[in-house]
Amino acid sequence: MKIRVFDNAHDAGVYVAALAEQVVERQAKPVLGLATGSTPIPFYQALIRLHQCGLDLSNVTTINLDEYIGLTPSHPQSYARFMWENLFSHVNIPETQIHLPNGVASDLEAECIRYDEIIRKNPIHLQVLGIGVNGHIGFNEPDDTLLSRTHIVNLCPETVASNARFFQHIDDVPKRAITMGVQAILQADQIVLMAFGREKAEIIAKAVFGEVRTDVPASILNLHKNVTVVLDKDSASELFDESGVLRRK
């Protein structure tokens, strides 16, 4: 596991965009696994700038981690809308190559199966992740077990409270979501975990230095051969001792 610490989120986003560019240039049909929330926005902004400077994304396929259940793609707080506003409307990725779970499917179990088939047919070259304050990746919440395949999840109170900042009232926050499972995440060739802000420092330390455990889902990334943790100074603050040396497990 590699750890990269930047002065700010902007610089971190530029670095992750450079990693994505390497994948896009190296692969004939690159597949990017994408995340939502405020954390990956600097990455999307930097990727848009690269596209404006000549990076062709027309061969890219994207697979998003998750979507709220009950929100249509046009809903202001749906992840489909988020991705359109923050990335897809600014680049030349064809809509037919953009994949997100359908949170208003009439048969949600069938939708999970459909999404797993998309992932199977499009192995992910680079998976970008954020991390929740409770350690979730995607919407794989802390639990006794972590499910391997795409599934329906009941969101933890911490997740609902954290996401409430995007809604007028906490009662408006959906309580369920569809999420990619941990197996698909771990099958990606390369994983980048992004985190910014002091509020993520404690969970980052647990994920990076703690034991692999289901109540800290992000800790499972320690089992992957190619993970880069991309942080700002605040989120990395508990990874270093007083002399600035990286702590060890």
Side-chain angles (χ1 to χ4, degrees):
M1 181 179 284
K2 300 183 287 289
I3 298 171
R4 300 290 182 265
V5 181
F6 295 86
D7 288 337
N8 51 63
H10 172 272
D11 292 351
V14 171
Y15 173 76
V16 178
L19 296 179
E21 181 181 24
Q22 291 176 5
V23 171
V24 171
E25 295 288 349
R26 185 171 63 243
Q27 300 291 338
K29 295 183 177 180
V31 180
L32 303 180
L34 301 180
T36 51
S38 57
T39 299
I41 288 178
F43 159 54
Y44 295 144
Q45 292 172 337
L47 189 60
I48 290 166
R49 288 194 295 272
L50 284 176
H51 170 65
Q52 292 169 341
C53 293
L55 179 62
D56 181 17
L57 299 176
S58 62
N59 289 328
V60 170
T61 293
T62 66
I63 301 178
N64 264 73
L65 284 164
D66 42 33
E67 179 59 282
Y68 287 123
I69 289 175
L71 299 190
T72 64
S74 62
H75 189 284
Q77 299 304 330
S78 74
Y79 287 162
R81 178 76 170 269
F82 173 94
M83 291 303 305
W84 177 257
E85 292 180 348
N86 287 284
L87 180 64
F88 297 147
S89 66
H90 306 284
V91 297
N92 66 332
I93 302 173
E95 287 193 42
T96 56
Q97 293 162 207
I98 293 170
H99 303 287
L100 294 97
N102 179 5
V104 291
S106 58
D107 186 334
L108 293 174
E109 294 293 345
E111 174 61 11
C112 292
I113 294 171
R114 182 192 73 87
Y115 210 64
D116 277 332
E117 184 64 12
I118 290 171
I119 297 167
R120 186 189 69 79
K121 290 181 177 179
N122 299 276
I124 296 170
H125 297 114
L126 175 66
Q127 176 65 62
V128 177
L129 301 172
I131 182 172
V133 292
N134 63 0
H136 74 225
I137 48 176
F139 273 137
N140 292 282
E141 299 278 34
D143 205 341
D144 293 335
T145 59
L146 295 176
L147 299 182
S148 61
R149 297 187 179 277
T150 301
H151 58 281
I152 299 163
V153 61
N154 294 317
L155 301 180
C156 291
E158 300 96 327
T159 301
V160 173
S162 178
N163 290 349
R165 66 187 188 277
F166 301 114
F167 294 80
Q168 284 192 325
H169 305 287
I170 192 169
D171 291 340
D172 297 331
V173 183
K175 305 304 188 294
R176 296 195 302 160
I178 298 176
T179 186
M180 185 188 296
V182 294
Q183 181 183 50
I185 293 172
L186 291 177
Q187 285 178 338
D189 291 344
Q190 182 179 2
I191 297 173
V192 174
L193 177 67
M194 304 176 69
F196 307 126
R198 182 73 64 173
E199 69 276 9
K200 298 291 181 69
E202 181 178 357
I203 196 61
I204 281 293
K206 287 182 179 179
V208 171
F209 292 147
E211 298 296 324
V212 175
R213 42 195 283 185
T214 60
D215 62 346
V216 184
S219 66
I220 201 168
L221 299 179
N222 284 283
L223 302 178
H224 195 277
K225 65 183 184 300
N226 189 1
V227 176
T228 304
V229 182
V230 177
L231 310 169
D232 65 357
K233 290 183 176 179
D234 284 340
S235 60
S237 59
E238 295 196 19
L239 298 183
F240 297 88
D241 61 23
E242 293 180 356
S243 61
V245 177
L246 185 68
R247 301 180 192 274
R248 300 297 178 185
K249 288 188 178 182

